Amino acid sequence: MSILIDGKKISAQVKEAVAAEAAALREQGIEPGLAVVLVGDDPASRVYVNNKKKACDFCGLRSMEYALPASTSEAELLALIAQLNADPAVNGILVQLPLPSQICEEHIIAAIDPRKDVDAFHPVNVGKIMIGDFDFLPCTPAGCIDLIDSTGVPIEGKRCVVIGRSNIVGKPMAMLLLHRNGTVTICHSRTKNLKEICKEADILVAAVGKPRFVTADMVKEGAVVIDVGMNRLPDGKLCGDVDFEAVSPIAGYITPVPGGVGPMTIATLMRNTLKAAKLQNGLA
């Protein structure tokens, strides 16, 4: 039976470290601030935003929420971002995705000051991640690395397989594993022999967005399995991209859903906001 990787416990450790550093910054007159922009009333986005606010409160970071109607135009959102870019009290800016169809996500991401881009989605930050000289790491992939490290299994020299090639998770996840000297394969909807490739992975990261996509016959005995998926079943229950019940007897380590990657994403956002405040004040 595999060992469960407790994302709640590890995220709590990250947030406690952020809280300690934030307290030290406040003694110097610096209060790290995160602005979260929510456009529309998507229920899942509202839950994420609320969780981010709770994390800010725990870490002692100032949380500023901007809730805009679903009818907001791209020009109106760009004007708000320009205002936040210019505000020294705002160290981090996060625009909750997805956005309504009348707004181009690429335009919005590109408008955020790269020094305040705590999601690390701006092309400048993406380029820095590519060459390995970065200020911020995207929250979910960085959280996944923390979870892998918690197992004590070294990434260096391991066969690593990432299922999914999104700009938010799949691609940066592969780069972070590569920076740690893993031998990385990215799989996607056009990959042939997917089952055989996954079966060779010492570290398998599933970020495909399909419920229970990874089955027992795709997992190597003793592998580290990181499940990024968050899917809601017809009965309302949450499940990941990995068939947890079938895979857990085979894997060496596995993340649950919920309680695995999700908490780490928010903890990493707190860490990025703290770093942004330090960078903008010449302390990092």
Side-chain angles (χ1 to χ4, degrees):
M1 196 60 151
S2 59
I3 296 172
L4 203 65
I5 305 173
D6 190 344
K8 290 182 179 178
K9 178 182 175 182
I10 299 162
S11 68
Q13 293 167 352
V14 172
K15 288 188 290 186
E16 284 165 7
V18 170
E21 281 201 67
L25 284 182
R26 285 198 302 277
E27 289 181 3
Q28 302 176 54
I30 300 166
E31 184 181 17
L34 173 66
V36 177
V37 181
L38 176 63
V39 183
D41 51 7
D42 178 74
S45 292
R46 168 45 65 190
V47 170
Y48 292 146
V49 168
N50 289 346
N51 287 340
K52 287 163 186 173
K53 187 178 187 306
K54 288 177 187 174
C56 282
D57 291 343
F58 178 88
C59 293
L61 309 182
R62 192 155 70 95
S63 175
M64 296 155 272
E65 181 183 314
Y66 296 84
L68 307 178
S71 59
T72 299
S73 69
E74 184 174 304
E76 288 170 327
L77 183 51
L78 287 170
L80 173 59
I81 290 170
Q83 174 190 324
L84 298 175
N85 282 340
D87 187 346
V90 175
N91 302 115
I93 301 170
L94 183 149
V95 177
Q96 185 66 45
L97 303 179
L99 292 167
S101 58
Q102 75 273 15
I103 300 175
C104 174
E105 289 184 0
E106 288 79 8
H107 292 168
I108 301 307
I109 290 168
I112 297 171
D113 184 336
R115 297 170 301 169
K116 298 188 177 188
D117 169 38
V118 288
D119 261 335
F121 291 165
H122 191 285
V124 166
N125 289 326
V126 172
K128 286 185 171 185
I129 293 161
M130 179 66 70
I131 63 175
D133 181 22
F134 44 78
D135 295 319
F136 308 114
L137 290 174
C139 299
T140 298
C144 291
I145 293 291
D146 285 340
L147 294 175
I148 295 167
D149 285 342
S150 77
T151 68
V153 174
I155 296 170
E156 183 169 344
K158 294 294 191 295
R159 292 292 300 271
C160 305
V161 173
V162 179
I163 312 175
R165 53 178 167 178
S166 71
N167 291 333
I168 292 174
V169 180
K171 290 176 187 175
M173 186 75 236
M175 288 311 305
L176 299 193
L177 291 165
L178 190 60
H179 289 325
R180 293 285 295 274
N181 298 316
T183 300
V184 184
T185 301
I186 304 177
C187 296
H188 46 78
S189 60
R190 307 293 176 86
T191 299
K192 296 179 180 178
N193 304 318
L194 175 64
K195 196 171 290 187
E196 290 78 7
I197 294 169
C198 292
K199 187 86 171 178
E200 295 178 353
D202 303 302
I203 298 170
L204 179 63
V205 181
V208 71
K210 295 182 179 179
R212 298 173 181 152
F213 179 81
V214 175
T215 49
D217 57 352
M218 297 170 68
V219 178
K220 180 180 180 179
E221 186 83 33
V224 177
V225 178
I226 306 294
D227 189 349
V228 181
M230 182 67 80
N231 310 291
R232 194 167 291 279
L233 299 173
D235 63 4
K237 291 182 180 178
L238 292 174
C239 79
D241 291 351
V242 176
D243 185 345
F244 184 86
E245 297 300 327
V247 169
S248 56
I250 298 164
Y253 297 88
I254 190 168
T255 58
V257 176
V261 173
M264 292 303 301
T265 298
I266 293 177
T268 306
L269 174 65
M270 300 299 105
R271 188 163 55 193
N272 282 353
T273 302
L274 177 75
K275 186 168 186 183
K278 290 164 72 175
L279 285 166
Q280 290 159 35
N281 286 278
L283 299 173

